């Protein structure tokens, strides 16, 4: 029992040290833009391993240098309650949970009718922009309860130490917009050959709707879904309040 107690104490100490590390890293982001994220490093390694070279586009810019149309479009597309929640939007999570449960039940019924065909379930996420940033900054893409719990703790730290505008600024500078394309300035130059401050409402909406699957939509620029979804985002942009 004593040995078990010592191991438990060491585990708790290691957990506390890890949380302190994350908290200090987040605190430093009040003044410093992260040079890279865990997600970016993972993507860089995959590209380098596959191609033997690393084409990379990223140029951090201040939030004031990003078109307000783009800011509104991203919030309308990814997290229209950004200014209302404290990092976790429980209503969105509950809705996503219900949709996933319904999709799973439907998939099981299809599997019973056609057992010879593989069945896939599209998982609907309920993550806020702060949660997405927490995951991209420090964590892997695996879907486990432990990883989600750590994501929640980092999300709380981000909301505690950083303003909403700073969270949005870091997110827009670090999020992926295509293979090796990270941050809004790189995305704006890559797709439209212009600065992020000069994006039109249509261009902003097109970039915003790419975010859930940027590498997929990068290869399908004429996707009807992109055009239709961009129209929807444009209609919602003006109702979004910026932080």
């Amino acid at each position: 029992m004593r040995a078990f107690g010592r191991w438990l104490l060491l585990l708790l100490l290691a957990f506390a040290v890890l949380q302190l590390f994350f908290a200090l890293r987040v605190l430093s982001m009040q003044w410093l833009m992260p040079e890279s994220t865990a997600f970016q490093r993972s993507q860089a390694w995959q590209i380098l391993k596959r191609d033997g070279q690393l084409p990379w586009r990223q140029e951090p810019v201040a939030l004031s240098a990003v078109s307000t149309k783009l800011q509104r479009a991203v919030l309308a597309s990814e997290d229209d309650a950004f200014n209302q929640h404290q990092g976790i939007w429980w209503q969105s999570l509950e809705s996503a949970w219900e949709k996933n449960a319904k999709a799973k039940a439907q998939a099981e019924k299809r599997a019973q009718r056609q057992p010879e065909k593989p069945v896939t379930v599209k998982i609907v996420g309920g993550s806020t922009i702060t949660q997405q940033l927490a995951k991209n900054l420090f964590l892997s893409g695996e879907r486990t309860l432990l990883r989600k719990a750590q994501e929640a703790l980092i999300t709380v730290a981000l909301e505690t130490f950083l303003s909403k505008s700073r969270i949005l600024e870091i997110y827009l500078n670090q999020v992926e917009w295509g293979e090796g394309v990270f941050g809004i300035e790189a995305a704006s130059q890559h797709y439209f050959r212009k600065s992020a401050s000069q994006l039109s409402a249509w261009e902003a909406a097109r970039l915003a709707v790419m975010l859930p699957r940027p590498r997929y939509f990068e290869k399908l620029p004429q996707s009807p879904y992109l055009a239709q979804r961009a129209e929807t985002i444009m209609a919602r942009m003006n109702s979004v309040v910026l932080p």
Side-chain angles (χ1 to χ4, degrees):
M1 289 296 293
R2 290 181 180 177
F4 174 77
R6 285 196 295 269
W7 277 109
L8 182 60
L9 181 61
L10 286 173
L11 285 175
L12 291 174
L13 181 61
F15 177 78
V17 170
L18 181 62
Q19 301 318 306
L20 179 61
F21 166 76
F22 286 143
L24 291 175
R25 285 288 306 275
V26 170
L27 182 61
S28 72
M29 292 176 195
Q30 288 188 13
W31 309 280
L32 303 173
M33 180 68 66
E35 292 184 1
S36 65
T37 68
F39 178 77
Q40 288 174 358
R41 292 188 291 273
S42 173
Q43 287 301 110
W45 171 245
Q46 291 181 31
I47 295 172
L48 188 60
K49 184 170 61 173
R50 185 192 66 203
D51 299 337
Q53 57 182 350
L54 185 61
W56 198 265
R57 302 177 184 87
Q58 187 172 18
E59 183 181 342
V61 294
L63 190 62
S64 58
V66 178
S67 165
T68 56
K69 298 182 182 67
L70 185 281
Q71 296 179 45
R72 293 180 188 277
V74 168
L75 292 180
S77 178
E78 293 293 293
D79 188 358
D80 58 3
F82 182 65
N83 291 302
Q84 301 171 34
H85 60 65
Q86 298 300 312
I88 300 175
W89 189 237
W90 297 108
Q91 292 179 348
S92 178
L93 284 177
E94 182 179 356
S95 175
W97 180 275
E98 291 175 353
K99 289 180 181 178
N100 290 332
K102 184 177 180 180
K104 183 179 179 182
Q106 292 174 343
E108 289 174 348
K109 289 181 180 179
R110 289 197 302 271
Q112 291 174 358
R113 293 195 301 267
Q114 299 175 308
E116 72 283 357
K117 292 186 177 182
V119 175
T120 58
V121 179
K122 182 180 178 182
I123 302 298
V124 179
S127 295
T128 65
I129 278 179
T130 314
Q131 287 175 284
Q132 292 178 44
L133 180 59
K135 179 182 69 175
N136 290 343
L137 281 170
F138 300 114
L139 306 174
S140 69
E142 63 180 346
R143 299 193 178 198
T144 65
L145 288 176
L146 183 62
R147 204 276 291 162
K148 290 298 290 184
Q150 182 61 81
E151 176 188 299
L153 290 173
I154 297 172
T155 296
V156 171
L158 286 166
E159 291 280 343
T160 300
F161 295 123
L162 304 181
S163 66
K164 287 287 189 179
S165 59
R166 182 58 171 167
I167 290 172
L168 181 61
E169 181 178 59
I170 296 173
Y171 175 84
L172 291 176
N173 276 291
Q174 302 297 335
V175 73
E176 181 186 38
W177 252 295
E179 186 168 77
V181 181
F182 288 90
I184 183 54
E185 184 64 24
S188 182
Q189 295 290 349
H190 178 61
Y191 292 106
F192 300 113
R193 302 293 186 267
K194 62 173 62 175
S195 168
S197 63
Q198 300 173 325
L199 290 169
S200 68
W202 171 252
E203 292 163 344
R206 283 293 292 246
L207 287 176
V209 300
M210 291 180 67
L211 283 176
R213 303 177 67 189
R215 279 168 282 160
Y216 173 81
F217 288 122
E218 183 181 24
K219 298 174 183 177
L220 297 171
Q222 305 304 320
S223 164
Y225 170 82
L226 272 182
Q228 294 168 7
R229 179 65 177 163
E231 291 284 356
T232 300
I233 295 303
M234 284 184 67
R236 296 170 52 191
M237 282 167 51
N238 289 336
S239 64
V240 173
V241 178
L242 294 179

